[in-house]
Amino acid sequence: MSTDKSNEIAAPGSHAPPSRALVVGDGAFAMAMATSLARRGDTSVRILCHTTQVRDEINAGENKTYLPGYQVHSNITAYTNITEACDPDIQLVLLVIPTQFLRKFLVANLASLPVGCPIVVCAKGIEIGTAETPYEMMISELPGKYHKHFAVLAGPSFAKEIMDGEPTNVVVASQNSIVAKEVAQYVSDGSSLRAYVSDDVHGIEIAGAVKNVLAIASGALDGLNFGNNARAALVCRGLAELTRLAVATGSNGRSMAGLAGVGDLMLTCSSSLSRNFTVGKKLASGMSLEEISGGTNAVAEGVATAKSVRMLAGKLGVEMPICEAVYQCLYEGKAPKLALAELQARPLGAEGGLVAGE
């Protein structure tokens, strides 16, 4: 048995938790991460909310809008004013904002975020129009004094399972290895939530974005009453598409076999807890995108990301037939059953390796 411990950081839960943390966002995953931090003991967690309604709900003890049925931890306090939510003692910032709204927040608050602590983006998507990932948006919009503190958190992590204290593993990626390790130690609690580290920011962000589009396709398969063979094929061929795009943006491709790649893809393609999976299932039932969007207050990132993935893939010359089919079903009115038939009728080809993404 190997005894190489060169990749070890520290025993999970052994690192002192942040005394104060700021979570920007008031959705289910924001609440889950805030709760996980608050459970560490002495960590005071401040949540910056988008509306006064949700702020008041959280401070009253339950986020009824986005996470009903769960009591808010006593260490959590909600705000709507970033100046009130921030103070010099903040040691960790988590940005849990949908990708399409992240830039607006950064531009509006670039002088308000604390300096010198990790700023971790938890959004999974690609911006429409610019085709930038959340990490790239932070680089574009925030002053240089922040840049060495950026990180990304991704991986298979349904909010409700984190709230229930179920085992969850995530990955923290940063171009600064010290920051990646610090964030991993902050969020790992030694029991239920565990974080690994990576320097493959490009790959992990592309994986987190594309898997949401593929989850829509998987939900459509389920809605069409297809079985496990179809889903397994979708996951494998979807992983190939995801890997091709990741490699084209600068990833080495190896992260696709990890938590942000295979892990998150398997999760979102196999559960109705996934908002994107649910969108696909409703599409297959005949509902329009407008009808689906009007029936929920939660954001399914894959709907917008289908547009930006198509744009980025076209720009880089990357073939992504499954993601293209999802785009056509969402925005061009193509029936999911017809889209599947066309995918199955494509010219035959060779199956390549994971890193090659062929």
Side-chain angles (χ1 to χ4, degrees), residues 3-122:
T3 58
D4 180 16
K5 297 186 178 181
S6 59
N7 290 326
E8 290 186 3
I9 301 172
S14 63
H15 188 275
S19 61
R20 291 193 181 181
L22 171 66
V23 177
V24 180
D26 52 18
F29 191 70
M31 291 299 301
M33 291 305 299
T35 301
S36 180
L37 289 168
R39 287 170 176 164
R40 293 291 301 273
D42 296 327
T43 301
S44 171
V45 183
R46 299 169 173 218
I47 292 185
L48 184 63
C49 300
H50 180 61
T51 67
T52 56
Q53 175 187 330
V54 177
R55 177 202 64 190
D56 293 345
E57 289 178 358
I58 292 172
N59 288 335
E62 180 184 358
N63 187 337
K64 295 180 180 179
T65 300
Y66 295 111
L67 197 64
Y70 289 92
Q71 184 176 354
V72 176
H73 196 282
S74 59
N75 286 355
I76 295 174
T77 307
Y79 301 81
T80 51
N81 185 306
I82 192 170
T83 303
E84 295 176 359
C86 286
D87 69 41
D89 295 326
I90 296 289
Q91 293 180 284
L92 176 68
V93 176
L94 300 183
L95 300 180
V96 197
I97 306 170
T99 302
Q100 307 308 321
F101 301 99
L102 177 61
R103 189 183 300 274
K104 181 180 179 180
F105 171 83
L106 295 174
V107 171
N109 298 285
L110 57 86
S112 301
L113 291 170
V115 179
C117 69
I119 299 178
V120 187
V121 65
C122 302

Side-chain angles (χ1 to χ4, degrees), residues 240-253:
E241 292 189 17
L242 185 157
T243 304
R244 282 197 292 266
L245 188 62
V247 170
T249 63
S251 169
N252 58 31

